[in-house]
Amino acid sequence: GCSVGISLLIILLIPAGIYFTIRTRVLPIRLFPDMVTVLTGKKEDKNSLSTFQTLIVSTATRVGMGNLVGVVAAVSAGGAGAIFWMWVTALIGSSTAFIEATLAQIHKEKDPLYGGFRGGPAYYIHDYVEGRTGKKRKCVLPAVLFAISGLICWCGISQVISNSVAASFKNAFSIPPLYTTIVLVILAAIIVLRKNATVKVLDLMVPFMAVCYFCITIFIIITNIGSLPGVFARIFQVAAGGFGAVLMNGVKRGLFSNEAGSGSAPCAAAAAECDKPVKAGLTQALGVFVDTIVICSCTAMIMLLVPEKLVAGKEGMDLLQTAMRYHLGEFGVIFIAVTLFLFSFSTFLGILFYARCNVAYLFGDKWCWQTAYKVLALVMLFIGGIATYTFVWDLGDVGIGLMTIFNIAALYLMGGQALDELKAYEESKK
């Protein structure tokens, strides 16, 4: 299941990323200062989100297990050079993230249930089809299919999340998975079943976890400063023999981790209150950056600063825990288990925020449907923690593959609208 989904992602996302990087004239590098300054935007309506809050919601979801386990897998399979390609992918993905978020912002609607705004690919695809056919419609097929694939994908992710948290707590603290899962589900239920608690919790949690992870990494780098030149040498030494493996693993990880182009982050971007759609786009472009260049690189450094003979033959969580034990003793193992919990838990909260707009698109604005999906996701979270493997995991991959197909098609067709906004924004700056 996984391999099909991921090779498909590469075939779709890399050309789109290169195309939009050229069309936006290398926006991620050119407008980097703007990405940082747009975060200071204020909001008027208490129910809508500021640009900074939408960065937090999307970062919650982007920063997940992919940043820990995924980076470990990429480096185990492709060597240190995979990190270089991960960085390249982040630059390319940034431009795609800019386009999709700007479109979501252009086509957002008022949200009668939660207050503030909502939108995302289902909404801009809907508007595009209506515009082409000239007829008002309640729903259009491609948008419906996008919304369904999103909901399927997030059910799959819910299971993977609880499964990996339960496994890591079992390894680190010998807690039986059932207990971990019950606590996880209760905590999640308390937060997601209240109207607007999700964003408030993420506002506190995401900056805290990202900063802690970053600071621990800086500490590890400083204590191993002597080995640093060697690590960079390994990252940039692109082995001619294993070039394909290195490239594929880095690219795959970069795409999978920062989700640019899959159409989930635009659901957060649409909720932002900003005077220019471009600001939502710049915010999400920065999100890809934070995810891949900062957080993924932290994991890579933690791992690459360990003497190679200590980690030979290990992979996944085991490898990361061994590396942390080497750097920080038993505290390191606890730290990684807690980090994985925070990264995963925030991802669960983030995907349920995204699910709002898709549920509303499919079923209309009723609390009963919103709550039904939340309960379904909580049930999936529970099953995932106690079952070792279920077919729903594969559905996660299928879901993200389908989302990407519909979303990327829409980006090619509608990207011009976002590029026009970008042009206008740059004119107004002069």
Side-chain angles (χ1 to χ4, degrees), residues 105-265:
Q105 185 62 225
I106 296 171
H107 296 274
K108 70 182 178 188
E109 301 179 351
K110 279 223 173 312
D111 187 332
L113 272 186
Y114 289 99
F117 300 99
R118 56 128 187 258
Y123 292 82
Y124 54 71
I125 293 170
H126 180 95
D127 287 356
Y128 178 79
V129 175
E130 272 193 351
R132 289 306 295 265
T133 55
K135 283 205 290 284
K136 275 269 169 243
R137 307 244 194 111
K138 194 172 172 301
C139 282
V140 302
L141 188 63
V144 167
L145 292 174
F146 173 85
I148 293 171
S149 10
L151 296 180
I152 290 173
C153 168
W154 296 324
C155 276
I157 292 178
S158 303
Q159 294 209 313
V160 180
I161 285 171
S162 53
N163 191 274
S164 58
V165 170
S168 91
F169 273 46
K170 187 172 173 235
N171 293 342
F173 314 115
S174 326
I175 301 175
L178 182 66
Y179 298 152
T180 308
T181 309
I182 291 173
V183 172
L184 190 66
V185 173
I186 291 173
L187 270 178
I190 292 170
I191 297 170
V192 299
L193 294 172
R194 295 181 46 203
K195 185 176 163 190
N196 277 333
T198 305
V199 178
K200 296 190 183 86
V201 173
L202 289 179
D203 279 350
L204 295 170
M205 204 167 132
V206 173
F208 170 76
M209 67 187 199
V211 168
C212 283
Y213 197 54
F214 185 65
C215 291
I216 286 276
T217 308
I218 297 296
F219 171 75
I220 289 173
I221 289 174
I222 292 167
T223 48
N224 294 283
I225 199 89
S227 328
L228 203 58
V231 169
F232 277 105
R234 279 165 64 195
I235 291 175
F236 289 111
Q237 147 203 32
V238 180
F243 179 72
V246 174
L247 176 77
M248 281 297 282
N249 278 294
V251 166
K252 194 159 81 179
R253 219 7 83 194
L255 289 176
F256 208 69
S257 174
N258 61 44
E259 296 187 350
S262 69
S264 34

Side-chain angles (χ1 to χ4, degrees), residues 234 301-311 322-324 326-327:
R234 279 165 64 195
M301 285 297 160
I302 289 172
M303 220 166 55
L304 295 173
L305 285 167
V306 178
E308 284 182 68
K309 57 179 187 300
L310 278 180
V311 289
T322 310
M324 273 308 221
Y326 168 79
H327 292 306

